[in-house]
Amino acid sequence: MNNKINLKYIIFLILSLLLIYGIWYFNNSIKTSKYIEPEIIATHYNGSNFVASETCMECHADIYNSHIKTAHFNTSSTAEKEHIKGSFKVDSNELNLKGVKLKMLEENNEYFQVSQPKFGDVSTTKSKIDIVVGSGVKGQSYLSWQDEDLIQLQASYFQPTSSWVNSPNFPDYSLNRKVDDNCLKCHVTFAKNKSESGIGNSYDRSKMILGIDCQRCHGPSEKHVIYHRKNPEAIKGEFVDNYESYSRQQRLDACAVCHSGLQGQHVKGNPFSFLAGDTLSLYSKNYKNVNSKIKLDVHGNQMGLLSESECFVNSPKMDCLTCHDPHKNQRAEMNTFNSKCLTCHDSNKVNRITENHIHDNQQNCVSCHMPLVPSEVMKLKLENDSEEIPVYIRTHLIGIYN
Ligand code: HEC
Ligand code: HEC
Ligand code: HEC
Ligand code: HEC
Ligand code: HEC
Ligand code: HEC
Ligand code: HEC
């Protein structure tokens, strides 16, 4: 009798121990098997590694899903049909310039520019479109690989006319232009130039990260991903930049590196060496040049213009993020922008009848105080039409206009 109880007791004890061990083993194996080494897709000049931006989705799904709809994410891509805005239809796929005729062709889901000079050697050249530059808000340019060398094609797409045009600043005879880091730096996350100066146009094709993704603004994040995969309970972000700790100038610089127009003169490292948190004046000279008050172009100098505005000069904290959410596509969300004006401008002061008009806080502030102005560079003269068709851009010189 006693033995029987003992046996039952022992069996029960063994089973319990097995169960506890089983639960312990199961929990731990989940923890260890959950950790997967992130795949490295390129290495920055400072030695830190980039991972694919889908990696961020695992823990930042909301930000990831809204970011992929932005002009930043879509500002460069491979040449799939859905990314190319220009038409390949028979009646709209030609561009006839003074010295060269261009024809755009689609063959088996690949896209080409066929160029035929009108003088001298008139043999044709067929170049494949490999990379699309521009989300298409105003236009797109197209790049082509010649082995490891990257060139910009002559035909670009111009949104206001929905047609093919000669690429900005190209002559009207046949030309392909070399694409170096100074062109790519604002439209891709990373490119590995064969010469570290970034002046040549030879690249390691497998190390090109298209689109402006998370790591263009937050820095290469391999260590951050490894840390948080290994420490799923951690709630504070580690090994990643923290915009909240930045000074106003650092926050501005993180955007100004690409939004100061094209006049920024390069002084340090490779054009991709600047990362958020760095001080732009150490990498680039005269990037705050504002001589473009009248001469705005498609590579709009938002930084220079904003910094000349009364709002900016008189508000110690204003930066780009006062009005822009870096993870959202906010195009044409005028109510959002107008409400930002009223966070600083007292409704009582705005609500008044002046000599010329009723000024009230229901109005579209942006339409009068940040008007659309024609671009000086992105404009087009149609052959039989003397009028120039420009692209319009939103000036960031906030002020009183007629
Ligand atoms: C395994 C989970 C995980 C992955 C993968 C991950 N993160 Fe994070 N990240 C976190 C956690 C946890 C925090 C801290 C909480 C928060 O701010 O959301 C964080 C915070 C951040 C912050 C804010 C830091 C701060 O202090 O302001 C940034 C920026 C960031 N992550 C970028 C990225 C990027 C870019 C990627 C992809 C390359 C990425 N993260 C992938 C878990 C992850
Ligand atoms: C690596 C360069 C780069 C950085 C850094 C950058 N931008 Fe941009 N930004 C671009 C380019 C290129 C475009 C044009 C995208 C397109 O339409 O193809 C753009 C477009 C925009 C637009 C227009 C979006 C639209 O819907 O048309 C806004 C707003 C903007 N950027 C704000 C910012 C802010 C704010 C920051 C800083 C947090 C920033 N950008 C940092 C390169 C950059
Ligand atoms: C200093 C940063 C910078 C450089 C360098 C630069 N871009 Fe841009 N680019 C921008 C920004 C910012 C915008 C968006 C301008 C705006 O809306 O004000 C833009 C817009 C464009 C657009 C129109 C995009 C759209 O969706 O409407 C095209 C096309 C373009 N760039 C092509 C190029 C090409 C080709 C080169 C190289 C020869 C180049 N860019 C060099 C920053 C740059
Ligand atoms: C154009 C630059 C830019 C890009 C691209 C970008 N971010 Fe950010 N991100 C910022 C800035 C600027 C802040 C700080 C916002 C602030 O302080 O108001 C920020 C803040 C964050 C934060 C912390 C605060 C928050 O909003 O939760 C996380 C996490 C983050 N980013 C993750 C990502 C991930 C993941 C991606 C890609 C899917 C991404 N970011 C793409 C500029 C960018
Ligand atoms: C961060 C706070 C802030 C924000 C946001 C802001 N402003 Fe201002 N703004 C100011 C300050 C400060 C001045 C200086 C005059 C004053 O004190 O009223 C000013 C001046 C102005 C002026 C007079 C300009 C001149 O040249 O005399 C106009 C017009 C104006 N703002 C319109 C706007 C509009 C429109 C918006 C939204 C797109 C806006 N502001 C957003 C702070 C701001
Ligand atoms: C129809 C065009 C128009 C709209 C819309 C408009 N404004 Fe104005 N605003 C003006 C003009 C013109 C002046 C200068 C003459 C005056 O004071 O009426 C002005 C002056 C100002 C000033 C100068 C400083 C002051 O108080 O005298 C501020 C600030 C301002 N506006 C803010 C705003 C804000 C915020 C909104 C949106 C709620 C807005 N405006 C909407 C045309 C406009
Ligand atoms: C006072 C608010 C405010 C501030 C501050 C601000 N912006 Fe804007 N930004 C706007 C508005 C409003 C638009 C127009 C949006 C639209 O038309 O959809 C705009 C549009 C843009 C565009 C698209 C331009 C175009 O014409 O297509 C870019 C690029 C941009 N902003 C960059 C920046 C950068 C970079 C900074 C900081 C240097 C900045 N913005 C600061 C309000 C602001």
Side-chain angles (χ1 to χ4, degrees), residues 341 345 350 352 354 357 359-361 363-365 368-369 400:
C341 313
H345 291 289
V350 172
R352 67 200 141 82
T354 68
H357 64 276
H359 202 245
D360 75 56
N361 65 6
Q363 288 172 321
N364 184 348
C365 326
C368 290
H369 294 297
I400 292 163

Side-chain angles (χ1 to χ4, degrees), residues 3 9-10 20 23 50 79 147 188 194 201 245 254 297 326 348 380:
N3 269 355
Y9 179 74
I10 287 169
I20 291 168
I23 291 171
F50 290 97
D147 298 321
V188 305
K194 298 224 161 146
N201 69 329
S245 68
D297 63 54
N348 294 327
L380 177 72

Side-chain angles (χ1 to χ4, degrees), residues 217-362:
C217 298
H218 292 299
S221 305
E222 184 212 21
K223 280 190 177 159
H224 171 70
V225 172
I226 292 180
Y227 176 86
H228 285 283
R229 279 188 179 168
K230 286 189 171 163
N231 300 282
E233 68 291 340
I235 47 168
K236 193 182 160 290
E238 295 290 345
F239 301 107
V240 69
D241 66 356
N242 177 343
Y243 275 81
E244 267 170 37
S245 68
Y246 292 167
S247 68
R248 181 200 203 188
Q249 194 56 50
Q250 285 171 314
R251 284 164 70 92
L252 286 164
D253 284 355
C255 309
V257 63
C258 301
H259 288 284
S260 303
L262 295 177
Q263 58 272 77
Q265 190 189 318
H266 195 71
V267 289
K268 182 179 154 188
N270 173 285
F272 284 96
S273 51
F274 174 91
L275 291 174
D278 289 340
T279 300
L280 191 55
S281 57
L282 299 176
Y283 289 79
S284 188
K285 258 195 206 151
N286 57 358
Y287 68 96
K288 263 204 252 175
N289 196 334
V290 204
N291 65 15
S292 55
K293 264 192 194 173
I294 338 142
K295 258 199 150 209
L296 278 158
D297 63 54
V298 65
H299 293 119
N301 182 3
Q302 287 88 13
M303 177 65 203
L305 293 165
L306 182 70
S307 61
E308 286 292 295
S309 306
E310 289 298 319
C311 305
F312 184 89
V313 174
N314 295 295
S315 320
K317 282 200 172 147
M318 186 188 228
D319 59 34
C320 312
L321 307 168
T322 306
C323 299
H324 291 290
D325 180 333
H327 306 132
K328 281 206 185 116
N329 184 338
Q330 297 178 300
R331 185 150 281 280
E333 280 184 12
M334 284 309 159
N335 291 339
T336 309
F337 290 115
N338 291 331
S339 68
K340 306 281 184 189
C341 313
L342 294 167
T343 57
C344 295
H345 291 289
D346 185 347
S347 295
N348 294 327
K349 280 197 187 159
V350 172
N351 279 326
R352 67 200 141 82
I353 300 170
T354 68
E355 258 176 63
N356 307 315
H357 64 276
I358 299 167
H359 202 245
D360 75 56
N361 65 6
Q362 300 303 314

